[in-house]
Amino acid sequence: MKKVYSTFFLLIILFTLIFTVHTETIAAMDETAGNIFEAVNQETILTVLSFIGLLGSTKGIIISLVLSIIIFAFLYKSFWQPLTIFIAVFLANVSNKFLKGIIERERPVIPGHEVDGFSFPSGHAMIGIVLYGFIAYFIANKIQSKTGRNIVFIIALIILLLIGVSRLTEGEHYFTDIIGGFAAGGILLIVLQSCYDFIVNKKTGKYN
């Protein structure tokens, strides 16, 4: 039931943002959040955030995806995990482009800094939560200790939050783009994880 409640909650957030993203209220919220993150001007912090942000970039996603496919193929001795993570990232990418094409929100305007494509929802956030969420899930499934599993999920959560913050400090997205990306990606992650559990359980009689 937790997955159902979580999915319902994320759907509310996502659809609320979709229908209000072009309103003055959201614009004011984004402006306030933008001013807060613009205050982060420590060179060391910006360098770290920029590095973390690379994990959510196209290059970072591809590298992480390829490495995870190879690692999980050896770790699980099965094609289900590599196939699942590949399909998940593919669907996240397609879904993100679909949503951006429908909503057509322009990116933040920063003189001398132009980025192609629409802004909502953030691809870094949406694809990132699906990829790194599955990576954490598959790693955690191989750890016996509950504390160890929790540590894995906490690390994944921190990485995702830093990816989101990096997009804001670099001026690539609005605050609500990030929230929308996490909400959309979270929904997809829950749905695909449930499908994976169902299929693997049916095929093997167990979840791992």
Side-chain angles (χ1 to χ4, degrees):
M1 289 301 292
K2 287 183 179 179
K3 290 183 179 180
V4 175
Y5 292 139
S6 297
T7 302
F8 182 69
F9 176 70
L10 292 174
L11 280 170
I12 292 176
I13 294 176
L14 179 60
F15 280 102
T16 298
L17 289 175
I18 287 176
F19 288 110
T20 62
V21 73
H22 294 294
T23 64
E24 293 183 1
T25 301
I26 293 297
M29 182 190 302
D30 284 327
E31 183 178 359
T32 300
N35 291 334
I36 293 174
F37 284 102
E38 279 182 8
V40 181
N41 54 14
Q42 293 291 327
E43 185 175 348
T44 302
I45 296 177
L46 292 176
T47 300
V48 172
L49 289 175
S50 179
F51 174 75
I52 294 295
L54 290 175
L55 294 175
S57 66
T58 300
K59 183 182 293 185
I61 290 293
I62 292 175
I63 293 174
S64 298
L65 177 60
V66 172
L67 288 176
S68 63
I69 286 175
I70 295 173
I71 291 172
F72 291 132
F74 281 100
L75 188 63
Y76 278 86
K77 309 295 185 196
S78 168
F79 72 90
W80 282 111
Q81 294 73 26
L83 179 62
T84 298
I85 206 167
F86 175 81
I87 292 175
V89 171
F90 174 77
L91 291 177
N93 183 50
V94 172
S95 300
N96 181 258
K97 291 180 179 178
F98 175 75
L99 288 173
K100 283 184 175 180
I102 291 178
I103 300 167
E104 296 186 340
R105 187 188 200 187
E106 297 296 335
R107 289 182 182 268
V109 178
I110 300 178
H113 184 72
E114 296 183 2
V115 182
D116 295 330
F118 293 114
S119 189
F120 183 95
S122 164
H124 280 62
M126 184 172 176
I127 300 173
I129 195 172
V130 170
L131 173 60
Y132 297 111
F134 259 118
I135 288 176
Y137 177 68
F138 287 145
I139 291 176
N141 277 346
K142 286 297 184 180
I143 298 177
Q144 299 298 322
S145 167
K146 182 178 180 180
T147 300
R149 292 194 297 271
N150 288 336
I151 290 175
V152 169
F153 288 123
I154 290 173
I155 292 174
L157 178 60
I158 292 174
I159 290 175
L160 288 169
L161 290 176
L162 290 177
I163 287 175
V165 172
S166 72
R167 303 304 285 164
L168 293 172
T169 56
E170 292 171 2
E172 304 284 352
H173 283 285
Y174 296 106
F175 175 72
T176 47
D177 295 338
I178 306 300
I179 300 302
F182 283 146
I187 293 168
L188 190 58
L189 176 63
I190 293 173
V191 171
L192 293 178
Q193 181 189 318
S194 298
C195 291
Y196 165 83
D197 286 341
F198 175 78
I199 294 173
V200 171
N201 183 50
K202 186 175 181 180
K203 289 286 185 181
T204 66
K206 56 183 180 179
Y207 285 98
N208 298 313

